[in-house]
């Protein structure tokens, strides 16, 4: 028994617990909620209510979810301390979705954006030439992230010859498709309806018209558009950082820099079939529960569908290539 007026000795660990409790108390004292709209090295732009602030972030940021990439990205919901306009970002709320790519430099996961619910994957019908293999990768990455993809073929004012041979593959797979021209505004009504009320990431190669489409959705964005070099047909990189923009009405859109490649992250070849809706449809009918739909010849419903033309051989080959790549990454 401790003598009256003298505090009993603290049990081991209690001081630390009190300290932690104290720290928690301090951090909940005066915090604000915001959403990251752009990241510039050590500073982030954050929407806090009606206000846009540029703030630094704590070196030891507290992530409230178990995240793979401990760096702030656009779309992150954050807690800030301080008083306007002197804020510091102290914590990051659990991310509901993350679109993750494997960094081509380090091989590590890099989150492109957090908390988006759908993605518009943009390809031009020409200049730059559409890249269906990259399109397949981006679609798979969206499925893996739990983000609904919409395919947008832009620049239809230049004709659709570049996609006529294979656009049907994506219709058969059940993807929503919009054909647009940011230049003539054709198809823009459908695209606007598709993004209204959602948080939508625009992704795809450089020069396909992502920024132009967003400017056509809302001219107030005044996003810089690239110029197409006549000689190479390649867009110049004008969007250098992703940014989150509020839509008039409700929702947000995210403009992203162009991607040349997109490394897949954090799932194995056996999950891939679930991310190819057209392959999955036939895989469900396959006689072998553990069929990889690749090497087996007899009774594979997927291979049979390719042979009869019910499943696109181009999509099937894309599936095989990605499955091999994922198996190598093991
Ligand atoms: N002909 C045509 N050109 C377009 C269209 N959309 C964008 N562009 C042009 O394509 C170039 C690249 O556009 P940009 O929006 O910067 O592409 P991003 O890199 O995907 O953001 C610019 O010169 C745009 O004017 C379109 O629908 N038709
Ligand atoms: Mg751009
Ligand atoms: Zn099979």
């Amino acid at each position: 028994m401790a003598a009256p007026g003298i505090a009993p000795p603290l049990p081991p660990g209690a001081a630390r617990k009190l300290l932690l409790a104290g720290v928690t108390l301090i951090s909940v004292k005066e915090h604000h909620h915001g959403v990251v709209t752009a990241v510039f090295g050590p500073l982030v732009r954050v929407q806090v209510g009606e206000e846009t602030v540029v703030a630094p972030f704590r070196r030891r940021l507290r992530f409230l979810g178990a995240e793979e990439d401990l760096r702030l990205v656009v779309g992150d919901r954050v807690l800030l301390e301080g008083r306007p306009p002197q804020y510091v970002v102290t914590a990051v709320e659990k991310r509901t979705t993350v679109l993750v790519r494997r960094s081509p430099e380090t091989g590590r996961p890099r989150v492109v954006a957090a908390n988006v619910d759908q993605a518009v994957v943009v390809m031009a019908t020409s200049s730059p030439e559409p890249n269906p293999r990259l399109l397949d990768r981006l679609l798979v990455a969206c499925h893996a992230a739990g983000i609904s993809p919409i395919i947008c073929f832009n620049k239809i004012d230049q004709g659709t010859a570049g996609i006529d041979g294979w656009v049907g593959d994506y219709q058969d797979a059940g993807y929503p498709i919009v054909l647009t021209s940011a230049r003539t505004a054709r198809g823009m009504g459908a695209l606007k309806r598709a993004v209204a009320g959602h948080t939508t990431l625009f992704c795809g190669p450089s020069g396909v018209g992502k920024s132009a489409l967003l400017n056509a959705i809302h001219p107030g964005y005044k996003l810089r558009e690239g110029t197409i070099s006549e000689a190479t047909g390649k867009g110049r990189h004008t969007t250098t950082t992703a940014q989150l923009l509020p839509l008039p009405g409700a929702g947000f859109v995210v403009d992203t820099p162009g991607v040349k490649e997109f490394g897949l992250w954090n799932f194995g070849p056996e999950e891939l079939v679930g991310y190819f809706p057209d392959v999955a449809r036939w895989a469900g009918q396959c006689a072998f529960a553990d069929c990889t739909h690749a090497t087996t010849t007899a009774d594979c419903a997927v291979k049979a569908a390719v042979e009869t033309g019910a499943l696109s051989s181009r999509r099937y080959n894309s599936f095989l290539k990605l499955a091999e790549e994922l198996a190598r990454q093991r």
Side-chain angles (χ1 to χ4, degrees):
M1 254 319 241
I6 297 172
L10 291 169
R16 195 179 130 74
K17 267 190 202 140
L18 279 176
L19 191 68
L20 287 174
V23 169
T24 312
L25 281 178
I26 290 163
S27 68
V28 294
K29 204 167 65 185
E30 212 193 294
H31 72 231
H32 305 263
H33 290 265
V35 56
V36 174
T37 59
V39 179
F40 310 101
L43 296 174
V44 289
R45 197 175 70 203
V46 186
Q47 189 76 33
V48 185
E50 294 293 286
E51 185 184 20
T52 300
V53 300
V54 173
F57 49 87
R58 284 270 160 81
R59 233 170 17 138
R60 301 188 68 180
L61 259 181
R62 214 148 54 89
F63 279 81
L64 305 180
E67 311 295 351
E68 293 173 281
D69 183 0
L70 302 182
R71 265 171 297 208
L72 284 172
V73 294
V74 293
D76 267 329
R77 296 177 190 131
V78 293
L79 303 184
L80 307 97
E81 281 176 28
R83 285 173 208 282
Q86 301 267 281
Y87 290 109
V88 55
V89 177
T90 57
V92 187
E93 290 182 36
K94 184 175 165 28
R95 294 163 172 165
T96 58
T97 65
V98 282
L99 183 68
V100 190
R101 68 187 291 206
R102 181 182 291 268
S103 159
E105 290 88 28
T106 65
R108 301 292 308 150
R110 291 235 52 178
V111 174
V112 178
N115 306 318
V116 306
D117 59 277
Q118 61 179 18
V120 171
V121 184
V122 187
M123 286 285 155
T125 55
S126 63
S127 44
E129 281 312 304
N131 180 346
R133 175 95 1 121
L134 178 62
L135 175 57
D136 289 338
R137 269 177 190 279
L138 289 169
L139 294 173
V140 164
C142 287
H143 288 297
I147 298 168
S148 322
I150 297 166
I151 303 173
C152 174
F153 291 110
N154 186 40
K155 308 200 188 188
I156 56 168
D157 54 290
Q158 299 180 341
T160 58
I163 60 164
D164 284 343
W166 45 269
V167 65
D169 295 351
Y170 296 95
Q171 275 158 347
D172 291 347
Y175 288 105
I177 300 172
V178 282
L179 300 176
T180 58
S181 167
R183 184 154 294 173
T184 67
R186 263 187 66 196
M188 290 308 301
L191 187 61
K192 277 186 199 174
R193 282 193 295 279
V195 299
H198 290 276
T199 298
T200 310
L201 182 94
F202 278 65
C203 59
S206 182
V208 296
K210 297 179 293 297
S211 300
L213 288 166
L214 291 170
N215 285 335
I217 286 172
H218 181 50
Y221 293 149
K222 296 192 173 67
L223 297 169
R224 275 196 62 198
E225 294 171 29
T227 50
I228 291 286
S229 145
E230 301 299 341
T232 62
K234 288 199 175 106
R236 258 194 252 140
H237 297 261
T238 39
T239 306
T240 51
T241 45
Q243 54 174 325
L244 182 88
L245 305 151
L247 272 172
F252 293 89
V253 289
V254 181
D255 191 22
T256 61
V259 290
K260 276 205 205 76
E261 49 183 321
F262 197 101
L264 299 176
W265 178 260
N266 209 20
F267 56 90
E270 62 290 337
E271 281 155 278
L272 185 66
V273 65
Y275 305 150
F276 269 81
D278 40 359
V279 178
R281 193 184 299 149
W282 297 104
Q285 295 172 31
C286 201
F288 307 105
D290 57 349
C291 184
T292 61
H293 320 298
T295 46
T296 330
T297 44
D299 293 331
C300 174
V302 174
K303 296 197 88 175
V306 175
E307 262 144 48
T308 63
L311 173 62
S312 152
S313 60
R314 195 195 55 73
R315 282 276 295 170
Y316 176 64
N317 283 324
S318 201
F319 165 76
L320 291 182
K321 279 258 158 55
L322 290 178
E324 276 167 28
E325 180 181 311
L326 291 168
R328 275 200 305 277
Q329 285 175 11
R330 272 283 154 84

